[in-house]
Amino acid sequence: MKQRNLSLHGRRCLPVALAVLLGGCASFSPDAGTGVARDVAFAELNKDVVKISDAAGAISAKARVDQLLKQPLSADAAVQVALLNNRGLQAAFNELGIAEAQMVAASLPPNPTLGISSRSGRFALEIERQIAGSIFALVTLPARAEIARERFQAAQLRTAETVLKLAADTRRQYHRAVAANAQVGFIEQAKGSSDAAAELFKRLGESGGVNKLDQAREFAFDAELGAQLAQARLVQRQERERLVRQLGLWGDELKFKLPGMLAPLPRLQSVKAIESEALRKRIDLKVARADLDALAGALGLTNATRFVNDIDLLGRRTYDRGRSLSHAGEVERETSRSRTVELEIEIPIFDFGQSKVVQAEQTYMQAANKLAEKAVNIRSEAREAYVGYRATYDIARQYQNNVLPLRKIIQDESLLHYNGMLIDVTQLITDARARILSNVAAINARRDFWIAHTDLKHVVIGGGAGGGGATVAAASGGEAGGGH
């Protein structure tokens, strides 16, 4: 009777123990873990991000995108369209959902293993039922669940970083596309004037008012402008398609309009303590810290379990039924039942856990060194971004305030001198060509400034910061050089 009471007590305790274990299990969040990315986007970009998981969400996002595309697209509107419509970002949200599912799975108790087997012969039947579970996995469940939560938090930060990177890349590409529009517009105007001059030179040549050499020079200049216009239109189409990919547009959505000119230069910002602000806000630094915390938890678990690889508890119940012949020739049935409990502990004999511990320690130190390197690099990137921002601002301002006004004066005076027969057409064409190159360079300078402006913002908050200015500067140099 006492034994039955103990058994009954054990049965009552089992649900309580399971309730305690299940109470510590993680559950799925209503927003699939996108709350961090949404908060970062709103705080740093003043933009919305939405995970599209059903038809209603897709329709709502499509309506907002269509509304934004009705007007000529601004840089802010382009970023919002990308955050709502880019499928790569939606794939990142799906990846975050997978990470959350893995976290929830890691917080659940280990599943037991059930098995049943039977063996029969002519006079015997044996049925064996067994249940086995890993005590090792059950004991380490809280530690493993905590590590899984830290890894999921790092995944949330990575998704937020993906949002910021998409925003930065979209804004940079927007400025490149608008600058390409501006170049096409200016060269079209220059080509129109050149066509009119070429027609005039053709008539003057027919009447003998212009010699063939000056006429050929004007025709060559007009032909060069035609080639430059074709090249500018090619770049315009390429830059627009690159922007289309960032925005995730297709079909009728491709009819969106871009401005013909870049925005004017704003007032110069004075950035103070940019290094410390970057160290405080950079999302990739937060990701590295979260990874380091998760590795620290894993290292603690490795140290705690270094001498035991696994512990399994096995419960077996056997039912054995057989038949035998008695001395009197009668068949007698024999039945027996037995219960066994086995505890299996795997203990490393040749490796006392040093390899696991050393591997965990080296992995942790690797992450710590990478974190320290990132902190150093972030300081340098912040300084570099500010230098690029200030230099491109000064260059664009120099073209706007000095170079372009002087080029206009030179061309106007050259035209007066040519009409007064003080210079020949060669000098007039040279001055016109120089003015065209200066205007193209001025457009490139303004484009480089807005890209540097984007770099400066994102070097502080993270997400594709740095590296854009140097590439653009090299590209603008090539374009300017190609005009000669």
Side-chain angles (χ1 to χ4, degrees), residues 172-189:
R172 293 189 190 100
Q173 188 55 44
Y174 173 85
H175 295 312
R176 294 188 182 104
V178 175
N181 281 356
Q183 289 186 10
V184 168
F186 175 77
I187 297 177
E188 284 178 342
Q189 293 178 2

Side-chain angles (χ1 to χ4, degrees), residues 14-26 107-110 137-139 141-142:
L14 182 58
V16 176
L18 289 176
V20 172
L21 285 174
L22 294 175
C25 298
S107 68
L108 296 175
L138 193 61
V139 171
L141 177 62

Side-chain angles (χ1 to χ4, degrees), residues 237-349:
R237 290 191 291 268
Q238 291 173 334
E239 298 293 3
R240 182 182 176 89
E241 288 301 328
R242 290 165 186 158
L243 179 61
V244 164
R245 291 197 291 272
Q246 295 289 338
L247 302 180
L249 302 179
W250 65 286
D252 291 339
E253 297 170 337
L254 299 180
K255 298 177 181 178
F256 72 94
K257 296 180 180 180
L258 291 174
M261 291 295 296
L262 287 163
L265 296 177
R267 295 183 60 182
L268 185 67
Q269 299 178 3
S270 60
V271 182
K272 297 180 180 179
I274 185 174
E275 294 182 41
S276 59
E277 187 177 5
L279 289 175
R280 180 170 56 88
K281 288 187 174 182
R282 275 285 286 264
I283 195 76
D284 54 344
L285 193 63
K286 294 180 180 179
V287 170
R289 287 170 179 162
D291 287 339
L292 192 64
D293 291 340
L295 285 173
L299 178 59
L301 181 61
T302 301
N303 278 322
T305 60
R306 60 180 299 186
F307 294 112
V308 178
N309 288 339
D310 200 2
I311 303 176
D312 290 332
L313 182 64
L314 176 65
R316 181 183 295 111
R317 182 177 181 180
T318 304
Y319 171 79
D320 190 2
R321 185 180 66 184
R323 291 180 298 177
S324 62
L325 293 175
S326 64
H327 294 289
E330 297 179 353
V331 177
E332 297 181 353
R333 294 184 179 181
E334 298 178 355
T335 302
S336 64
R337 292 180 174 85
S338 63
R339 297 183 180 90
T340 58
V341 177
E342 299 178 4
L343 184 64
E344 297 181 356
I345 303 176
E346 181 183 350
I347 301 177
I349 297 178

Side-chain angles (χ1 to χ4, degrees), residues 335-400:
T335 302
S336 64
R337 292 180 174 85
S338 63
R339 297 183 180 90
T340 58
V341 177
E342 299 178 4
L343 184 64
E344 297 181 356
I345 303 176
E346 181 183 350
I347 301 177
I349 297 178
F350 302 103
D351 181 4
F352 290 95
Q354 292 93 337
S355 59
K356 291 198 302 182
V357 172
V358 170
Q359 182 179 356
E361 288 177 347
Q362 293 303 314
T363 303
Y364 177 84
M365 291 306 302
Q366 180 188 45
N369 286 321
K370 287 183 177 180
L371 176 62
E373 179 190 27
K374 186 175 290 291
V376 172
N377 292 344
I378 284 174
R379 292 183 176 95
S380 176
E381 290 172 4
R383 295 191 299 269
E384 180 186 5
Y386 182 74
V387 168
Y389 167 79
R390 182 57 191 265
T392 53
Y393 181 88
D394 292 340
I395 293 170
R397 181 68 69 181
Q398 180 73 4
Y399 273 104
Q400 177 178 302

Side-chain angles (χ1 to χ4, degrees), residues 191 222-232:
K191 185 65 169 62
D222 186 63
E224 287 179 358
L225 274 181
Q228 291 179 12
L229 179 58
Q231 178 66 29

